[in-house]
Amino acid sequence: MRAILIMSANDLRIFFSQAGNWVSLLVLPIIFTVVLGIAFGGGDSDPENLIVDVIDADQTQLSARFLAELRSLNAALVLCPLDSQRVDDPCDLPDVPLTLSIGLERLQAEGSNALVLIPSGYAEAVENFTPLEIEYYSAIDPTSPDPVRQTLDAALQRINSALLTAHVGGAMLDRLAAQDGGDAAYIDWRDSFVTEVYRQTERLLAQRPPAVNYVITGGAATEDAVQGFRQSVPGTGSMSVMFTVLGGMA
């Protein structure tokens, strides 16, 4: 036993004689604790407003419904200038009509999070099942998550689902007509059939329940999530102890 204690004391003497080991044992854990405590300090858990400048060049019922779809998918979106009438007026727009140049300037100055341009002819393109591009501008790094872009893609996916279903119905009729010798009698009711398929698909999509149903039940209030220094102090401490113990075991 005496030999083991002598060997252990000698190893500890050699270990603590190196300044770098003192840094790894004392200095680095303190730095990690402070940095992680500040970085994960948390704050208000409610979603912050995402300012989205919208230029609706179409000004139709379908374009308005598209914007309403964006709102329903993400409550954090603030669509400007549509939401400029709010009491707090989060848009802070100039007293001139919103244009593409003004929207790009606001985006570069971080006055907004994104810019969406619905071109003229949007409703006509949807009704005639023709492709149309919606312009989207964002200052967020393309490699980073973009909540506005994700919401926009979700809304377009819902619209495109109805369009795809209508296209499949029309293609099916065309193929059946070709197999029957090209009878043109179906042309009179083909367009109405495709339109009805599109509207029926939209109705079914609107009735679809949400993917996530968040419900808060009664009971005692739970504590706030562990974050900030309440997380970094025990986390960094246990990690440092683990590394030291593993090194000592070796």
Side-chain angles (χ1 to χ4, degrees), residues 162-222:
L163 292 174
L164 179 60
T165 305
H167 274 296
V168 171
M172 179 190 67
L173 287 180
D174 295 339
R175 186 168 184 177
L176 291 176
Q179 291 177 354
D180 291 340
D183 185 6
Y186 82 102
I187 297 179
D188 296 335
W189 52 271
R190 179 188 183 280
D191 291 342
S192 60
F193 173 79
V194 172
T195 302
E196 182 59 28
V197 170
Y198 172 77
R199 292 175 179 174
Q200 181 64 19
T201 305
E202 272 201 326
R203 285 193 290 268
L204 293 175
L205 289 174
Q207 297 171 3
R208 187 173 53 182
V212 177
N213 187 17
Y214 181 76
V215 179
I216 300 178
T217 59
T222 58

Side-chain angles (χ1 to χ4, degrees), residues 14-136:
I14 296 174
F15 180 82
F16 287 115
S17 65
Q18 302 177 14
N21 292 330
W22 286 98
V23 174
S24 62
L25 281 177
L26 299 178
V27 179
L28 290 181
I30 294 176
I31 294 176
F32 288 153
T33 300
V34 174
V35 172
L36 294 176
I38 296 175
F40 300 106
D44 191 0
S45 60
D46 294 335
E48 61 179 8
N49 289 333
L50 296 172
I51 307 299
V52 181
D53 289 342
V54 177
I55 302 177
D56 185 2
D58 198 48
Q59 294 292 327
T60 59
Q61 185 177 359
L62 286 178
S63 63
R65 189 165 62 182
F66 171 70
L67 297 177
E69 183 72 15
L70 289 178
R71 278 200 185 95
S72 65
L73 291 172
N74 193 342
L77 295 186
V78 177
L79 304 182
C80 301
L82 303 178
D83 294 334
S84 298
Q85 289 75 23
R86 288 171 44 172
V87 177
D88 52 350
D89 189 13
C91 296
D92 193 22
L93 286 170
D95 295 331
V96 293
L98 180 63
T99 61
L100 180 59
S101 59
I102 295 177
L104 293 177
E105 291 176 359
R106 282 169 50 85
L107 192 62
Q108 294 176 355
E110 298 183 355
S112 65
N113 298 100
L115 171 64
V116 177
L117 173 59
I118 303 176
S120 177
Y122 169 80
E124 182 180 357
V126 173
E127 292 173 350
N128 296 326
F129 310 110
T130 56
L132 184 72
E133 292 185 357
I134 294 179
E135 298 183 24
Y136 175 75

